[in-house]
Short mmCIF file of all heavy atoms in Angstrom, two decimals:
data_model
loop_
_atom_site.label_atom_id
_atom_site.label_comp_id
_atom_site.label_asym_id
_atom_site.label_seq_id
_atom_site.Cartn_x
_atom_site.Cartn_y
_atom_site.Cartn_z
N ALA K 48 17.73 -11.01 -5.99
CA ALA K 48 18.80 -12.01 -5.97
C ALA K 48 19.10 -12.47 -7.40
O ALA K 48 18.22 -12.38 -8.26
CB ALA K 48 18.35 -13.21 -5.13
N PRO K 49 20.32 -12.96 -7.65
CA PRO K 49 20.62 -13.47 -8.99
C PRO K 49 19.56 -14.51 -9.38
O PRO K 49 19.24 -15.39 -8.58
CB PRO K 49 22.00 -14.12 -8.83
CG PRO K 49 22.60 -13.43 -7.65
CD PRO K 49 21.47 -13.07 -6.74
N GLY K 50 19.01 -14.37 -10.56
CA GLY K 50 18.00 -15.33 -11.03
C GLY K 50 16.58 -15.00 -10.59
O GLY K 50 15.62 -15.57 -11.11
N GLN K 51 16.44 -14.09 -9.63
CA GLN K 51 15.08 -13.73 -9.19
C GLN K 51 14.45 -12.79 -10.22
O GLN K 51 15.06 -11.81 -10.64
CB GLN K 51 15.14 -13.04 -7.83
CG GLN K 51 13.76 -12.75 -7.27
CD GLN K 51 13.81 -12.30 -5.81
OE1 GLN K 51 14.76 -11.65 -5.38
NE2 GLN K 51 12.79 -12.66 -5.05
N THR K 52 13.23 -13.11 -10.61
CA THR K 52 12.61 -12.39 -11.73
C THR K 52 11.45 -11.50 -11.27
O THR K 52 10.95 -11.62 -10.15
CB THR K 52 12.06 -13.37 -12.77
OG1 THR K 52 11.08 -14.18 -12.11
CG2 THR K 52 13.15 -14.24 -13.37
N THR K 53 11.01 -10.68 -12.19
CA THR K 53 9.87 -9.80 -11.95
C THR K 53 8.62 -10.61 -11.62
O THR K 53 7.88 -10.27 -10.69
CB THR K 53 9.64 -8.91 -13.20
OG1 THR K 53 10.77 -8.03 -13.32
CG2 THR K 53 8.37 -8.11 -13.11
N SER K 54 8.35 -11.69 -12.36
CA SER K 54 7.12 -12.46 -12.09
C SER K 54 7.17 -13.13 -10.72
O SER K 54 6.15 -13.29 -10.05
CB SER K 54 6.85 -13.50 -13.18
OG SER K 54 7.77 -14.55 -13.10
N ASP K 55 8.39 -13.50 -10.28
CA ASP K 55 8.53 -14.09 -8.94
C ASP K 55 8.14 -13.06 -7.88
O ASP K 55 7.35 -13.35 -6.97
CB ASP K 55 9.98 -14.55 -8.74
CG ASP K 55 10.23 -15.00 -7.31
OD1 ASP K 55 9.73 -16.08 -6.95
OD2 ASP K 55 10.88 -14.25 -6.55
N MET K 56 8.67 -11.87 -7.98
CA MET K 56 8.35 -10.82 -6.99
C MET K 56 6.87 -10.44 -7.08
O MET K 56 6.22 -10.22 -6.05
CB MET K 56 9.24 -9.60 -7.22
CG MET K 56 10.70 -9.88 -6.93
SD MET K 56 11.66 -8.35 -6.78
CE MET K 56 11.49 -7.75 -8.43
N ALA K 57 6.36 -10.37 -8.31
CA ALA K 57 4.94 -10.01 -8.51
C ALA K 57 4.02 -11.04 -7.86
O ALA K 57 3.01 -10.70 -7.24
CB ALA K 57 4.64 -9.90 -10.01
N THR K 58 4.39 -12.32 -7.98
CA THR K 58 3.57 -13.40 -7.40
C THR K 58 3.54 -13.27 -5.88
O THR K 58 2.50 -13.43 -5.24
CB THR K 58 4.13 -14.78 -7.81
OG1 THR K 58 4.17 -14.83 -9.24
CG2 THR K 58 3.27 -15.91 -7.28
N ARG K 59 4.71 -12.96 -5.28
CA ARG K 59 4.77 -12.83 -3.82
C ARG K 59 3.93 -11.63 -3.35
O ARG K 59 3.23 -11.72 -2.33
CB ARG K 59 6.22 -12.67 -3.36
CG ARG K 59 7.04 -13.95 -3.55
CD ARG K 59 8.50 -13.59 -3.40
NE ARG K 59 9.37 -14.66 -3.82
CZ ARG K 59 10.09 -15.43 -3.00
NH1 ARG K 59 10.00 -15.27 -1.71
NH2 ARG K 59 10.90 -16.35 -3.48
N ALA K 60 4.00 -10.53 -4.07
CA ALA K 60 3.19 -9.35 -3.70
C ALA K 60 1.71 -9.68 -3.86
O ALA K 60 0.88 -9.29 -3.03
CB ALA K 60 3.57 -8.16 -4.58
N ALA K 61 1.37 -10.41 -4.94
CA ALA K 61 -0.03 -10.78 -5.19
C ALA K 61 -0.56 -11.65 -4.06
O ALA K 61 -1.69 -11.46 -3.59
CB ALA K 61 -0.13 -11.53 -6.53
N ARG K 62 0.25 -12.60 -3.60
CA ARG K 62 -0.19 -13.47 -2.49
C ARG K 62 -0.45 -12.64 -1.23
O ARG K 62 -1.41 -12.89 -0.49
CB ARG K 62 0.87 -14.54 -2.20
CG ARG K 62 0.93 -15.60 -3.29
CD ARG K 62 1.42 -16.96 -2.77
NE ARG K 62 1.31 -17.96 -3.82
CZ ARG K 62 2.32 -18.41 -4.54
NH1 ARG K 62 3.54 -17.98 -4.30
NH2 ARG K 62 2.12 -19.31 -5.49
N ALA K 63 0.42 -11.66 -0.97
CA ALA K 63 0.23 -10.80 0.21
C ALA K 63 -1.08 -10.01 0.09
O ALA K 63 -1.81 -9.85 1.08
CB ALA K 63 1.42 -9.85 0.35
N ALA K 64 -1.39 -9.52 -1.13
CA ALA K 64 -2.64 -8.76 -1.33
C ALA K 64 -3.86 -9.67 -1.18
O ALA K 64 -4.88 -9.27 -0.61
CB ALA K 64 -2.63 -8.09 -2.70
N LEU K 65 -3.76 -10.91 -1.69
CA LEU K 65 -4.87 -11.87 -1.55
C LEU K 65 -5.11 -12.17 -0.07
O LEU K 65 -6.26 -12.20 0.39
CB LEU K 65 -4.56 -13.17 -2.32
CG LEU K 65 -4.69 -13.09 -3.85
CD1 LEU K 65 -4.03 -14.30 -4.51
CD2 LEU K 65 -6.15 -12.97 -4.28
N ASP K 66 -4.03 -12.36 0.69
CA ASP K 66 -4.15 -12.61 2.14
C ASP K 66 -4.84 -11.43 2.82
O ASP K 66 -5.71 -11.60 3.67
CB ASP K 66 -2.76 -12.81 2.78
CG ASP K 66 -2.20 -14.19 2.50
OD1 ASP K 66 -2.96 -15.04 1.98
OD2 ASP K 66 -1.00 -14.41 2.78
N ASP K 67 -4.38 -10.23 2.46
CA ASP K 67 -4.94 -9.01 3.08
C ASP K 67 -6.45 -8.91 2.80
O ASP K 67 -7.21 -8.46 3.65
CB ASP K 67 -4.21 -7.78 2.53
CG ASP K 67 -4.62 -6.51 3.24
OD1 ASP K 67 -4.59 -6.50 4.49
OD2 ASP K 67 -4.97 -5.53 2.56
N ALA K 68 -6.85 -9.35 1.59
CA ALA K 68 -8.27 -9.26 1.20
C ALA K 68 -9.07 -10.46 1.69
O ALA K 68 -10.31 -10.45 1.60
CB ALA K 68 -8.37 -9.16 -0.32
N GLY K 69 -8.39 -11.51 2.17
CA GLY K 69 -9.08 -12.74 2.56
C GLY K 69 -9.66 -13.46 1.36
O GLY K 69 -10.73 -14.07 1.43
N LEU K 70 -8.96 -13.38 0.22
CA LEU K 70 -9.45 -13.99 -1.02
C LEU K 70 -8.47 -15.06 -1.51
O LEU K 70 -7.31 -15.09 -1.11
CB LEU K 70 -9.59 -12.92 -2.11
CG LEU K 70 -10.65 -11.83 -1.89
CD1 LEU K 70 -10.49 -10.74 -2.94
CD2 LEU K 70 -12.07 -12.42 -1.96
N GLU K 71 -8.99 -15.94 -2.40
CA GLU K 71 -8.16 -16.93 -3.09
C GLU K 71 -7.95 -16.44 -4.53
O GLU K 71 -8.75 -15.64 -5.04
CB GLU K 71 -8.90 -18.28 -3.15
CG GLU K 71 -9.32 -18.85 -1.82
CD GLU K 71 -8.13 -19.32 -1.00
OE1 GLU K 71 -7.10 -19.68 -1.61
OE2 GLU K 71 -8.24 -19.33 0.23
#
Side-chain angles (χ1 to χ4, degrees):
Q51 185 169 33
T52 61
T53 293
S54 71
D55 173 73
M56 293 195 295
T58 303
R59 291 166 192 252
R62 288 208 173 103
L65 285 166
D66 283 350
D67 186 51
L70 294 171
E71 303 289 334

